[in-house]
Amino acid sequence: MSGLLRQLPEVAKIMGMLEDSRALEVVGISAFDERIYRGVLACPGITVQELVMRSGESAGRIQASLSRLRAKGLVSRLWGRSPRWTVTNPGTAIRSLVRGLQSELDQLTDTADELEAAFRTVGQDPEEGGQFEVLAGPEEQARWYVRLQQEAKEEVLTFDCPPYVLDYHNPLQTDLLRSGVRYRTIYVPEAFDHAGALDEVGSLIKAGEEARVLPRLPFKMAIVDRWRAVMPMHMDPPLTRGVLISGSTMVVALVELFERLWREALPVRPELWRDAPATPAPADETGTPVDGGPEAAELGPEDRRLLALLAAGLKDDAIARQLGTSPRSLRRRLRHLLDQLNAETRFQAGAQASRRDLV
């Protein structure tokens, strides 16, 4: 014990410095237990009696503290004539406690999600006009957009326009389409500006998406099963604030707006974006050519493809990239087509071509 007595001033100093320590409370170690633990750490092989001498606490209280620390894997007992105590490897022991705490937090998070789902299912009074929840930050809006799709049973209605909180690629949609969920999407031309966007939309349409296009949309949104909607509160990037609307007359109004714009929008026809067939010259029942107007007689495959892209509302640069031509050459071709179709704007030309079955 003489060796320990020589160390006692240093041990007392360490314990005194750590008397107010609370660093381990986060893993369930009280301030008192941490003080005892650090005392053992400062002097491996210390006895209960020696801890009593240094701390001024009763032997019973110190013994109880050591038992709690032992249960958490922080200290171990060295057997002998006079039982002594030492610490286990602090890094290993404390990291183990942190992993246990993390597991408990994960379980608590899962429980919170379950309770939140129950609250949203039965905790709303329809007579109160539904529920509104502000979504702070693009991450929260993206999380809810994904979650609402995962919960969809019948239909997802979408206004698709930039800016985006997620990449334009939607990995959930194809699987949901195959499972029977109906997707109807109204795009704006800017939605096709991304590299690969035309191929992506074409794949979604092939999988079952119903897609139409308008020159502009009032905002972006997604409505699931005509019951819940998520949308940003402004359209200026970044989308810092959004709103989740559940079971209210506002959702009914948004569905009505979607249906009205859906009727006005033009179908997206990706099969004409790449390999458009030539327009046959009009003929009567005997096969004799008749005068069908210059727009029908002179449209070749490239003109039909150009009209299909116009009908989709793509901008000049995007169309030029698709056709492999320069914007200047494209503008000359556009001018010629507008004259042929007696159209004032590019979108009118595409719309007229679609209505006349030229594309």
Side-chain angles (χ1 to χ4, degrees):
M1 185 172 177
S2 59
L4 175 62
L5 289 175
R6 287 193 297 271
Q7 298 176 28
L8 283 179
E10 184 64 22
V11 174
K13 178 180 178 182
I14 294 175
M15 293 184 68
M17 291 171 59
L18 302 174
E19 186 170 357
D20 295 327
S21 176
R22 296 177 179 272
L24 298 182
E25 279 190 342
V26 69
V27 289
I29 308 298
S30 69
F32 177 78
D33 287 354
E34 182 174 350
R35 183 185 174 205
I36 299 302
Y37 170 71
R38 291 181 182 262
V40 178
L41 175 65
C43 189
I46 195 169
T47 65
V48 172
Q49 291 73 21
E50 290 164 349
L51 285 169
V52 168
M53 292 174 56
R54 300 324 318 155
S55 67
E57 301 290 344
S58 67
R61 189 180 182 196
I62 290 177
Q63 187 63 57
S65 175
L66 291 170
S67 296
R68 291 190 295 270
L69 293 170
R70 186 182 186 185
K72 290 184 176 292
L74 291 172
V75 300
S76 60
R77 184 176 176 181
L78 304 175
W79 293 96
R81 180 179 301 179
S82 179
R84 298 176 178 275
W85 294 85
T86 188
V87 300
T88 58
N89 185 298
T92 300
I94 294 174
R95 290 189 184 95
S96 177
L97 292 176
V98 171
R99 285 193 295 271
L101 177 63
Q102 184 61 55
S103 177
E104 293 177 2
L105 291 174
D106 290 341
Q107 293 178 12
L108 182 60
T109 299
D110 292 341
T111 300
D113 290 339
E114 293 172 3
L115 294 174
E116 181 182 23
F119 167 77
R120 295 183 183 281
T121 301
V122 302
Q124 303 177 56
D125 183 356
E127 295 182 357
E128 293 181 356
Q131 184 182 39
F132 295 78
E133 179 179 338
V134 175
L135 307 178
E139 295 81 7
E140 185 72 359
Q141 295 174 65
R143 185 178 73 85
W144 268 106
Y145 176 61
V146 171
R147 177 172 174 175
L148 289 185
Q149 290 184 89
Q150 292 171 332
E151 296 175 356
K153 297 295 187 295
E154 297 179 1
E155 186 177 46
V156 178
L157 310 175
T158 304
F159 284 168
D160 189 307
C161 57
Y164 296 100
V165 294
L166 290 172
D167 184 79
Y168 71 87
H169 176 70
N170 185 352
L172 299 174
Q173 186 169 337
T174 300
D175 289 339
L176 287 168
L177 283 165
R178 290 170 180 166
S179 70
V181 177
R182 185 186 186 190
Y183 270 80
R184 286 193 290 158
T185 304
I186 302 177
Y187 294 93
V188 295
E190 291 78 12
F192 305 131
D193 285 347
H194 305 282
L198 290 176
D199 291 336
E200 173 69 16
V201 173
S203 297
L204 291 175
I205 293 174
K206 186 177 181 180
E209 179 187 74
E210 300 168 57
R212 297 188 179 185
V213 63
L214 279 175
R216 64 186 62 84
L217 288 168
F219 43 77
K220 61 191 290 117
M221 69 173 182
I223 305 173
V224 173
D225 294 339
R226 302 186 175 228
W227 173 250
R228 289 200 288 189
V230 61
M231 57 191 298
M233 298 178 70
H234 60 83
M235 292 294 289
D236 298 321
L239 301 178
T240 55
R241 292 171 69 81
V243 62
L244 175 71
I245 312 170
S246 303
S248 76
T249 54
M250 178 65 75
V251 177
V252 176
L254 291 173
V255 171
E256 288 296 323
L257 174 63
F258 179 91
E259 296 292 358
R260 181 173 66 82
L261 294 181
W262 179 259
R263 291 189 294 269
E264 296 177 5
L266 294 173
V268 176
R269 301 178 63 186
E271 72 274 11
L272 300 177
W273 290 345
R274 295 192 178 278
D275 300 316
T279 303
D284 61 20
E285 61 274 7
T286 67
T288 303
V290 298
D291 184 10
E295 71 276 8
E298 300 178 12
L299 288 183
E302 286 298 309
D303 287 333
R304 285 169 55 81
R305 185 181 177 194
L306 173 54
L307 282 174
L309 295 172
L310 285 176
L314 269 67
K315 293 182 178 180
D316 292 355
D317 289 345
I319 294 176
R321 284 195 298 271
Q322 292 297 317
L323 298 180
T325 187
S326 68
R328 184 176 179 179
S329 297
L330 175 67
R331 284 191 289 271
R332 286 198 298 267
R333 292 179 59 185
L334 283 176
R335 186 66 266 166
H336 179 68
L337 277 177
L338 290 176
D339 292 341
Q340 281 186 291
L341 297 173
N342 194 27
E344 295 292 333
T345 66
R346 299 162 60 256
F347 193 80
Q348 286 179 3
Q352 290 187 32
S354 179
R355 294 189 178 105
R356 298 180 194 181
D357 292 327
L358 298 177
V359 294

